[in-house]
């Protein structure tokens, strides 16, 4: 059985697509709380990545222009994050974790398990959110990171209920 890494998004329910669409906007959050001088290219790329993903998951059509842009842009953004500044062991761990959850998303979607695929994709995104926060917020405390995690999770639960 060949795993199709990019074209099995039709397994998601409308509610799951809605959750993934709105959740894409969280990538902008670190820009709002940043206390560093943000590279303008990184700032713009973050907004573009968030918006492309939001619009793609809202429409969620396989192989349309937004789908292709989302794939290409997300990969470019990941490479940009890796090369943005100095790396630490924690950041390397987060990069590897991101890749694992990204791949697991496609494994679960090929197994037609939309719940696990969605949760894997949300964990992939949560790690991406952590990475961007760690890149843009100097001296981000564990308490502040935990507050962000709780608010992010509550938001996902709220979206799921509406």
């Amino acid at each position: 059985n060949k795993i199709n890494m990019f074209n099995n998004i039709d397994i998601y329910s409308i509610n799951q697509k809605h959750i993934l669409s709105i959740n894409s906007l969280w990538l902008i959050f670190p820009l709002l709380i940043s206390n560093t001088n943000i590279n303008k290219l990184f700032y713009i790329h973050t907004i573009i990545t968030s918006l492309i993903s939001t619009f793609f998951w809202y429409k969620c059509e396989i192989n349309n222009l937004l789908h292709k842009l989302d794939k290409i842009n997300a990969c470019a953004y990941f490479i940009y994050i890796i090369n943005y500044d100095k790396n630490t062991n924690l950041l390397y761990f987060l990069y590897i974790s991101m890749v694992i959850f990204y791949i697991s998303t496609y494994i679960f979607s090929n197994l037609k398990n939309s719940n696990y695929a969605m949760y894997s994709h949300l964990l992939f995104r949560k790690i991406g959110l952590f990475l961007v926060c760690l890149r843009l917020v100097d001296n981000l405390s564990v308490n502040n990171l935990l507050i962000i995690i709780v608010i992010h999770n509550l938001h996902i639960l709220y979206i799921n209920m509406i």
Side-chain angles (χ1 to χ4, degrees):
N1 237 359
K2 182 180 169 189
I3 293 180
N4 187 338
M5 287 291 286
F6 301 106
N7 295 328
N8 211 359
I9 58 174
D10 56 337
I11 66 159
Y12 294 102
S13 70
I14 290 177
N15 189 47
Q16 289 169 327
K17 292 174 186 177
H18 182 73
I19 290 168
L20 290 166
S21 176
I22 292 175
N23 184 264
S24 301
L25 294 171
W26 270 89
L27 193 57
I28 297 172
F29 181 74
L31 299 176
L32 302 175
I33 64 169
S34 176
N35 58 357
T36 64
N37 187 9
I38 304 171
N39 174 302
K40 293 217 185 305
L41 181 60
F42 187 49
Y43 190 91
I44 292 167
H45 200 174
T46 300
I47 292 172
I48 289 171
T49 300
S50 177
L51 293 177
I52 288 173
S53 184
T54 300
F55 292 128
F56 163 66
W57 281 103
Y58 178 74
K59 283 290 197 189
C60 205
E61 296 174 9
I62 297 172
N63 286 327
N64 71 359
L65 179 62
L66 275 175
H67 187 211
K68 291 174 184 173
L69 281 174
D70 187 50
K71 288 188 294 190
I72 292 167
N73 188 65
C75 290
Y77 190 70
F78 180 73
I79 291 167
Y80 194 81
I81 289 173
I82 290 172
N83 294 304
Y84 184 70
D85 201 0
K86 64 182 183 218
N87 288 304
T88 64
N89 288 337
L90 172 63
L91 292 175
Y92 286 123
F93 172 76
L94 292 174
Y95 299 145
I96 292 167
S97 298
M98 241 180 120
V99 170
I100 289 169
F101 283 112
Y102 184 78
I103 292 169
S104 70
T105 297
Y106 289 100
I107 291 171
F108 289 127
S109 68
N110 277 285
L111 294 172
K112 306 284 190 227
N113 190 324
S114 64
N115 285 329
Y116 284 177
M118 184 188 70
Y119 294 130
S120 291
H121 201 69
L122 287 171
L123 286 168
F124 156 77
R125 288 172 170 213
K126 187 177 298 293
I127 295 166
L129 176 64
F130 294 164
L131 282 168
V132 177
C133 282
L134 290 170
R135 290 292 196 202
L136 297 181
V137 182
D138 282 339
N139 303 315
L140 183 63
S141 71
V142 172
N143 287 342
N144 287 341
L145 192 56
L146 288 174
I147 290 169
I148 293 167
I149 293 168
V150 168
I151 293 170
H152 184 252
N153 287 337
L154 289 173
H155 185 243
I156 291 169
L157 289 172
Y158 173 75
I159 295 169
N160 195 36
M161 292 183 336
I162 57 173

